[in-house]
Amino acid sequence: IRDCGFFPKDNMGFGKDDRSEPVRVLVTGAAGQIAYSLLYSIGNGSVFGKDQPIILVLLDITPMMGVLDGVLMELQDCALPLLKDVIATDKEEVAFKDLDVAILVGSMPRREGMERKDLLKANVKIFKSQGTALEKYAKKSVKVIVVGNPANTNCLTASKSAPSIPKENFSCLTRLDHNRAKSQIALKLGVTADDVKNVIIWGNHSSTQYPDVNHAKVKLHGKEVGVYEALKDDSWLKGEFISTVQQRGAAVIKARKLSSAMSAAKAIADHVRDIWFGTPEGEFVSMGVISDGNSYGVPDDLLYSFPVVIKNKTWKFVEGLPINDFSREKMDLTAKELTEEKETAFEFLSSA
């Protein structure tokens, strides 16, 4: 029967679905609140599929190991059938071994009175160390997603510290900003977020990011129209809309006294699921990726958010979108900030 092609061949001599092999997924900062919202989604099949077994590796710093034990107990108590094993550790050599996916959530948060430069310095140290561990212990095919801020520059630091892992395998999260932009448009038009597609976040995951809806479409009364045409409110789209998306993280902190966690975890799940299964036909998403070879005038060797499509776990830039003067200025501004961040980080990198 097997020779008729009913079963894929494997060295066991039995038909075996690829998906019966567990995917080994690391989440860092695993005792934190983003991870607390994320881990259940990974364990219940919403990210890697409903029949994909998972080995979940949880890394945090030594003082957090008590809390992490509590998270481990809760994951066990969820009795999730796809969760083949859960490993909680404070050791990089354990955490990074044989990984298929690394979701780097943990980073040094900005404390009151801290200069951005100090924040960069502390994080260069963390992401250099984790990049080195990826290089040493993970599979070369590992997909690395950086969430911890400053995410773009942390991602570039990790990639530079893991030279034998393709730099295309590294991406950083701007999907939260993308989802925020989608939802602001949907709220304004009284439709669901699902009816809005192809918004773009250009640049840095910071307040210089540029949420761009020049190419976005919305489904209204059964047909797709451009967002500018649907809204007929250019001054809102060029003003309040942009600043709302740029400042949304700060607004959540002000209201909750804590940073975004549920929405961040949902965005991570969206980002990783799209890497794994690809983007829907005719849709693109925003992702911080290496800028080499882009056609939008962004300097090479920056980790910059672009519109991408994904197929076979490989992303490609969306090409040929016309860029108006308003957009050009905003895209250049965020590229300038990223260039400065990179220069500062690399000074520290050589001495870290």
Side-chain angles (χ1 to χ4, degrees):
I1 294 178
R2 195 181 65 199
D3 292 343
C4 298
F6 292 130
F7 297 108
K9 292 182 184 178
D10 66 71
N11 53 15
M12 300 280 294
F14 294 102
K16 193 169 76 172
D17 184 355
D18 202 25
R19 281 174 293 197
S20 60
E21 282 298 309
V23 171
R24 196 176 181 95
V25 183
L26 166 67
V27 177
T28 72
Q33 56 153 3
I34 292 177
Y36 192 74
S37 286
L38 173 67
L39 294 169
Y40 179 70
S41 294
I42 294 173
N44 76 2
S46 323
V47 178
F48 295 99
K50 297 291 181 192
D51 51 2
Q52 174 59 66
I54 301 283
I55 294 170
L56 200 46
V57 189
L58 312 177
L59 176 70
D60 216 312
I61 54 175
T62 310
M64 295 305 289
M65 289 312 283
V67 177
L68 197 55
D69 276 340
V71 175
L72 177 63
M73 285 188 255
E74 282 213 68
L75 279 166
Q76 290 165 344
D77 298 348
C78 286
L80 294 161
L82 292 173
L83 223 41
K84 294 303 167 203
D85 196 8
V86 184
I87 299 151
T89 183
D90 58 356
K91 295 180 176 56
E92 286 185 343
E93 63 273 20
V94 175
F96 286 87
K97 186 125 187 67
D98 296 332
L99 291 179
D100 295 297
V101 178
I103 304 172
L104 309 183
V105 180
S107 64
M108 165 75 84
R110 192 167 186 169
R111 305 232 158 83
E112 221 172 317
M114 204 182 202
E115 291 292 319
R116 195 167 173 85
K117 209 169 180 169
D118 301 329
L119 184 71
L120 273 168
K121 188 174 187 175
N123 280 299
V124 162
K125 206 172 158 199
I126 294 167
F127 285 87
K128 181 182 183 180
S129 173
Q130 294 189 349
T132 305
L134 283 162
E135 174 78 4
K136 210 164 164 185
Y137 303 112
K139 292 179 181 174
K140 297 304 173 201
S141 58
V142 65
K143 300 293 185 190
V144 184
I145 297 92
V146 176
V147 178
N149 284 320
N152 300 58
T153 300
N154 287 346
C155 188
L156 192 61
T157 300
S159 173
K160 295 284 182 192
S161 309
S164 71
I165 296 169
K167 44 191 172 184
E168 295 73 28
N169 288 21
F170 287 81
S171 59
C172 83
L173 188 77
T174 55
R175 185 60 168 268
L176 177 52
D177 310 301
H178 179 101
N179 287 350
R180 285 166 171 164
K182 246 176 112 151
S183 116
Q184 286 301 310
I185 298 296
L187 285 165
K188 189 83 169 168
L189 283 166
V191 297
T192 66
D194 220 25
D195 292 326
V196 181
K197 69 174 192 185
N198 298 351
V199 303
I200 301 169
I201 304 296
W202 297 100
N204 199 0
H205 174 65
S206 75
S207 59
T208 67
Q209 63 173 266
Y210 170 42
D212 175 9
V213 291
N214 283 294
H215 313 286
K217 301 264 191 284
V218 59
K219 201 182 284 173
L220 276 185
H221 318 301
K223 66 171 203 270
E224 271 189 4
V225 286
V227 165
Y228 267 84
E229 188 192 332
L231 265 170
K232 299 181 176 59
D233 189 347
D234 291 18
S235 67
W236 182 79
L237 283 170
K238 288 184 167 172
E240 195 187 326
F241 162 71
I242 291 173
S243 57
T244 299
V245 176
Q246 287 174 333
Q247 305 294 336
R248 188 68 160 188
V252 170
I253 291 173
K254 196 172 175 215
R256 270 192 90 222
K257 312 291 178 265
L258 291 164
S259 57
S260 311
M262 178 171 42
S263 54
K266 158 68 165 59
I268 296 164
D270 290 345
H271 177 120
V272 178
R273 189 189 310 108
D274 283 347
I275 288 175
W276 214 249
F277 292 107
T279 45
E281 196 59 44
E283 273 188 50
F284 49 78
V285 294
S286 305
M287 203 176 264
V289 294
I290 195 72
S291 60
D292 298 7
N294 77 86
S295 60
Y296 293 105
V298 176
D300 281 355
D301 204 36
L302 288 181
L303 217 295
Y304 187 102
S305 180
F306 287 94
V308 299
V309 288
I310 305 162
K311 199 176 177 177
N312 302 326
K313 299 188 173 63
T314 305
W315 58 265
K316 284 193 170 80
F317 295 121
V318 175
E319 300 287 3
L321 299 172
I323 302 298
N324 60 29
D325 293 346
F326 179 82
S327 295
R328 180 77 269 158
E329 191 182 324
K330 295 241 179 298
M331 288 163 68
D332 290 347
L333 184 75
T334 191
K336 182 173 178 284
E337 181 183 58
L338 277 171
T339 305
E340 286 162 9
E341 264 187 34
K342 173 186 148 177
E343 283 163 6
T344 308
F346 283 18
E347 278 167 38
F348 296 137
L349 192 57
S350 50
S351 60

